[in-house]
Amino acid sequence: MATAAQFSYITINSPNFHLTAKRSAFSRQLKYGGKYYSGFTDITSSRRKPKSLSVVCDNSSPSSSDISSTAKIRSEVLSPFRSVRMFFYVAFIASAGLGGLIASTRLIAALANSSRGAEVPEILKGLGIDLAAVSIFAFLYYRENKAKNAQVAKLAREENLSNLKLRVDEKKIVPVSAFRGIARLVILAGPSAFISECFKLSAPFTEGLLERGVLVVPFATDGISPSFEFEENEELEEKISRRKRLWQLAPIYATEWTKWIDEQKKLAGVSPESPVYLSLRLDGRVRGSGVGCPSWNAFVLQLPPVKGIWSGLLDGMDGRVL
């Protein structure tokens, strides 16, 4: 399984002792006194012990707990009053439950004493109101909690997407989250023939798509890299350059991309073999998705330009979040 390389740097500060360890996968090199030691060589027999130890770790992908906490924070920001509503629902359930308990004890006492028989209808009325209140507020709490869990799960999937890696050029690899606020990504997932067809259909709208910050991420699910044919013509050099810019991104670590796309298809009830597209807003959230080639003309008509006099006013006009 292809995974991003993990790097750890350990530096020990001491006047006569300098240790730098660099580990990639299962290999490590240690430098001590100008000599290199490979494997897991024990060099702890130093004359002096290190005075201070600093460890900095950079992992390729965050843990599930980090993603979950981030998704929960974003959920709170998007629905700031949900926690307040859920608190009051619980308070009302507890209050009605306590009232129902008191009414039940009164009803038992009234039934046991024939002289208090006239109080039974009134007690039953109060007990019915308490039970109805418990049922209503329990239902409202259940619905609110279900919506919260669905939103957190959706945000967690979006966070997983934001951590997937893209190759910009031969020397630069960035996560999807690096394009937040910069570009509107359109992800194409399907066989290479599907990618090539989408490439041809996008040709007339290249200028309009770039003006709206659209960048395409083609992911060939059959493992065959699609071939993009650009006409070599000096008169069309600028147009060809824009076409290459529109299609310059390439996903890496195919296993992680395949896993995320398959999960999305499963949730949407789409066949695993179906070619799909998915468009993102400027804030990185999912704007739209569908089966087959996207409507490039619709993007040009619906999305505002990222530059110009309308850019600041229409920054949020990306469409509703799915």
Side-chain angles (χ1 to χ4, degrees):
M1 176 178 179
T3 55
Q6 299 180 352
F7 297 97
S8 300
Y9 298 94
I10 303 177
T11 304
I12 302 175
N13 300 322
S14 179
N16 298 325
F17 188 94
H18 179 72
L19 167 64
T20 300
K22 182 176 182 181
R23 175 172 60 84
S24 175
F26 296 102
S27 63
R28 180 172 64 176
Q29 287 186 338
L30 303 179
K31 182 178 180 182
Y32 175 67
K35 297 181 179 180
Y36 287 89
Y37 300 83
S38 59
F40 295 89
T41 307
D42 185 8
I43 59 170
T44 57
S45 59
S46 173
R47 295 181 180 180
R48 297 186 181 183
K49 295 183 178 181
K51 294 182 179 180
S52 63
L53 176 66
S54 61
V55 180
V56 180
C57 300
D58 181 15
N59 294 327
S60 60
S61 58
S63 64
S64 58
S65 59
D66 293 336
I67 296 175
S68 178
S69 62
T70 303
K72 289 179 179 179
I73 292 173
R74 291 183 62 190
S75 178
E76 291 292 336
V77 172
L78 295 173
S79 303
F81 299 107
R82 173 173 285 151
S83 299
V84 177
R85 291 195 299 268
M86 295 180 70
F87 170 79
F88 280 109
Y89 291 157
V90 173
F92 293 151
I93 291 172
S95 177
L98 181 60
L101 179 63
I102 295 174
S104 298
T105 58
R106 292 181 58 198
L107 178 62
I108 294 173
L111 293 175
N113 190 350
S114 59
S115 62
R116 299 178 57 187
E119 301 178 5
V120 172
E122 187 67 23
I123 296 175
L124 288 175
K125 180 180 178 181
L127 180 60
I129 293 174
D130 291 332
L131 293 177
V134 169
S135 302
I136 292 173
F137 288 115
F139 169 75
L140 293 175
Y141 180 86
Y142 168 78
R143 188 180 66 174
E144 198 75 47
N145 188 59
K146 184 178 180 180
K148 176 184 177 182
N149 292 336
Q151 185 182 54
V152 170
K154 182 191 299 183
L155 293 172
R157 291 193 299 271
E158 292 178 353
E159 287 297 319
N160 291 335
L161 172 62
S162 69
N163 292 318
L164 297 178
K165 301 296 188 296
L166 294 171
R167 185 186 300 278
V168 180
D169 52 39
E170 295 181 355
K171 299 181 180 180
K172 188 174 183 181
I173 296 176
V174 297
V176 173
S177 59
F179 293 92
R180 285 178 180 172
I182 301 175
R184 300 179 173 101
L185 301 184
V186 176
I187 302 171
L188 305 177
S192 57
F194 163 75
I195 303 295
S196 299
E197 181 67 19
C198 294
F199 173 76
K200 295 177 182 178
L201 294 175
S202 68
F205 310 101
T206 300
E207 189 72 23
L209 292 172
L210 288 176
E211 288 179 356
R212 285 151 182 81
V214 175
L215 294 178
V216 183
V217 181
F219 178 68
T221 55
D222 56 3
I224 302 175
S225 300
S227 58
F228 300 146
E229 297 180 358
F230 300 96
E231 298 179 1
E232 297 297 335
N233 192 329
E234 295 182 358
E235 297 179 357
L236 302 176
E237 184 177 355
E238 184 177 354
K239 182 178 180 180
I240 294 173
S241 176
R242 289 181 173 274
R243 290 280 289 159
K244 291 181 179 180
R245 179 186 171 192
L246 179 64
W247 292 81
Q248 67 176 334
L249 301 179
I252 60 175
Y253 309 126
T255 305
E256 298 178 4
W257 278 91
T258 300
K259 179 181 178 181
W260 188 87
I261 291 173
D262 288 344
E263 290 178 354
Q264 292 298 112
K265 288 182 178 180
K266 184 177 180 180
L267 291 172
V270 177
S271 172
E273 294 79 17
S274 300
V276 296
Y277 75 90
L278 185 140
S279 63
L280 305 184
R281 293 159 36 117
L282 274 177
D283 58 5
R285 303 197 64 188
V286 178
R287 174 184 179 271
S289 60
V291 178
C293 294
S295 177
W296 304 113
N297 186 36
F299 290 147
V300 175
L301 294 176
Q302 296 173 4
L303 298 175
V306 293
K307 294 182 180 180
I309 61 174
W310 300 107
S311 58
L313 181 62
L314 301 177
D315 279 349
M317 300 298 180
D318 282 88
R320 65 183 182 89
V321 178
L322 293 184

